[in-house]
Amino acid sequence: MGDMYERNQTTVSEFLLLGLSEDLEQQQLLFVLFLGMYLVTMVGNLLIILAISLDSCLHTPMYIFLANLSLADISSISTSVPKMLANIQTKSQSISFGACVTQMYFSIVFVVIDNFLLGVMAYDRFMAICYPLSYVTVMRPRLCTLLMATSWVLSNLVALTHTLLLAQLTFCNANTIPHFFCDLAPLLHLSCSNTVINQLVMFILGSSVIAVPFGLIFFSYICIVFTVLKISSAEGKWKAFSTCGSHLSVVTLFYGTIIGVYFLPSSAQSVNNEKIGAVLFTVVTPMMNPFIYSLRNKDIKGALKKLIDKKIFSM
Ligand SMILES: *[C@@H]1O[C@H](CO)[C@@H](O)[C@H](O)[C@H]1NC(C)=O
């Protein structure tokens, strides 16, 4: 009896990440695809951060939040993709227990911070359009710093909660994760302990982290739309609304993905949906964000152009 107990309790020291495909040819294709997406994301978001920090005209709340979003995007994709690429290249599937938990921690932090940042950015647009006269006095640098700091602290607290709860679990013999990084849900499936509390906390924290910013965004845009409708000239309407364009595009992309992956009925199994969702959130959204801004935003395009001109002339 004692012997069996010990054998069942052999704790797992490493996990195996099965990745997105076990087929070797497909793996090479995925390698090229994900390497490309990784490089595009890094270059795109770094350019945005550079353009915003070097151009003093862009030192306004909206762009400071945007730079933070780019930072979160860079970090988000860097938690999962480099390890996945390395594993394909070395034909290994292993990830140590510590690395796995670290990956889970940071993947939670950056998805949560994306939600908070989108909420904060909606509040910023709401103040700018609905209360333009008090905007400058309300959105002072100190409030911006406070909002950003709160977002970073809260998202770390969410990740810490999940990690501490995960630390209570026992992992027996099963150590194969059918996923391309250590995401929370597949890790919970693996544990041989009772995970009811973990699932419950995942549900409660997950839905509040999505619902609260989404509610904020929703009500901000209702007020924004009503305010814009009251503007009499068509040109004025367009001018007011165009400052929301890039935020609205990212919000649509982000929540469209959530609805598409988790709420629309689909014939695929939920494991596949989980993987598709993870690819979209950790890879595709971070990659798309810079394009949405730089392609649609005159100020950022101008700042980038200045940046490039300056570099060329100084060489
Ligand atoms: C993020 O926001 C903080 C606080 O407003 C700001 O000081 C910082 O420069 C921003 N980060 C980036 C990368 O711009």
Side-chain angles (χ1 to χ4, degrees):
M1 189 66 203
D3 185 45
M4 208 173 114
Y5 180 78
E6 258 163 44
R7 209 170 340 127
N8 277 345
Q9 292 295 309
T10 44
T11 42
V12 168
S13 64
E14 64 163 22
F15 290 102
L16 298 179
L17 287 172
L18 293 190
L20 290 170
S21 162
E22 290 190 76
D23 180 272
L24 274 182
E25 240 167 69
Q26 276 181 10
Q27 278 188 4
Q28 288 312 316
L29 197 68
L30 285 173
F31 180 85
V32 175
L33 186 68
F34 276 72
L35 181 64
M37 294 201 284
Y38 185 66
L39 293 178
V40 168
T41 308
M42 293 305 276
V43 171
N45 282 297
L46 280 176
L47 276 179
I48 288 202
I49 294 178
L50 261 183
I52 292 176
S53 44
L54 293 183
D55 190 334
S56 53
C57 302
L58 298 184
H59 289 175
T60 60
M62 185 168 95
Y63 291 110
I64 288 172
F65 298 149
L66 225 156
N68 273 271
L69 190 68
S70 281
L71 187 63
D73 283 342
I74 286 179
S75 321
S76 167
I77 198 167
S78 299
T79 56
S80 55
V81 170
K83 178 64 182 166
M84 173 198 171
L85 296 178
N87 274 8
I88 293 181
Q89 227 33 10
T90 57
K91 302 204 165 39
S92 135
Q93 298 180 318
S94 80
I95 181 166
S96 71
F97 191 90
C100 190
V101 174
T102 313
Q103 222 181 27
M104 184 209 76
Y105 182 91
F106 286 108
S107 66
I108 296 176
V109 168
F110 298 120
V111 171
V112 174
I113 193 107
D114 256 6
N115 274 284
F116 287 154
L117 286 178
L118 291 179
V120 167
M121 288 161 92
Y123 175 69
D124 171 71
R125 288 301 85 207
F126 164 73
M127 287 305 295
I129 293 176
C130 303
Y131 298 96
L133 296 182
S134 37
Y135 179 73
V136 181
T137 49
V138 172
M139 292 305 270
R140 271 204 284 247
R142 257 178 83 186
L143 180 69
C144 296
T145 311
L146 187 71
L147 287 171
M148 287 300 94
T150 315
S151 305
W152 285 99
V153 168
L154 278 182
S155 43
N156 275 284
L157 282 181
V158 170
L160 194 63
T161 310
H162 286 305
T163 310
L164 290 178
L165 283 173
L166 188 84
Q168 312 295 317
L169 302 179
T170 315
F171 289 89
C172 306
N173 297 317
N175 70 339
T176 326
I177 303 175
H179 205 35
F180 70 103
F181 70 99
C182 290
D183 208 357
L184 179 58
L187 269 179
L188 293 185
H189 291 319
L190 270 192
S191 167
C192 47
S193 321
N194 186 340
T195 58
V196 170
I197 295 184
N198 304 64
Q199 306 272 3
L200 191 70
V201 171
M202 185 165 83
F203 178 76
I204 294 172
L205 283 184
S207 33
S208 20
V209 151
I210 293 172
V212 172
F214 185 78
L216 193 66
I217 293 167
F218 191 73
F219 286 108
S220 299
Y221 272 100
I222 288 185
C223 300
I224 289 173
V225 165
F226 274 108
T227 310
V228 168
L229 287 179
K230 269 187 270 173
I231 300 175
S232 49
S233 76
E235 196 198 346
K237 269 192 185 122
W238 174 243
K239 218 172 137 196
F241 205 69
S242 65
T243 64
C244 303
S246 37
H247 179 254
L248 203 55
S249 325
V250 183
V251 165
T252 314
L253 179 70
F254 196 77
Y255 292 100
T257 309
I258 293 186
I259 292 168
V261 173
Y262 297 103
F263 293 99
L264 290 188
S266 91
S267 50
Q269 319 102 318
S270 67
V271 173
N272 261 342
N273 266 19
E274 229 169 70
K275 271 197 224 171
I276 295 170
V279 171
L280 290 173
F281 282 120
T282 56
V283 183
V284 177
T285 324
M287 180 180 73
M288 292 306 292
N289 280 350
F291 287 102
I292 291 173
Y293 296 123
S294 47
L295 289 181
R296 300 189 45 122
N297 190 300
K298 258 192 300 180
D299 297 331
I300 297 228
K301 269 195 273 187
L304 278 176
K305 207 163 159 290
K306 256 193 271 175
L307 188 78
I308 291 165
D309 287 349
K310 226 191 288 174
K311 278 280 142 343
I312 289 172
F313 286 122
S314 64
M315 266 199 259

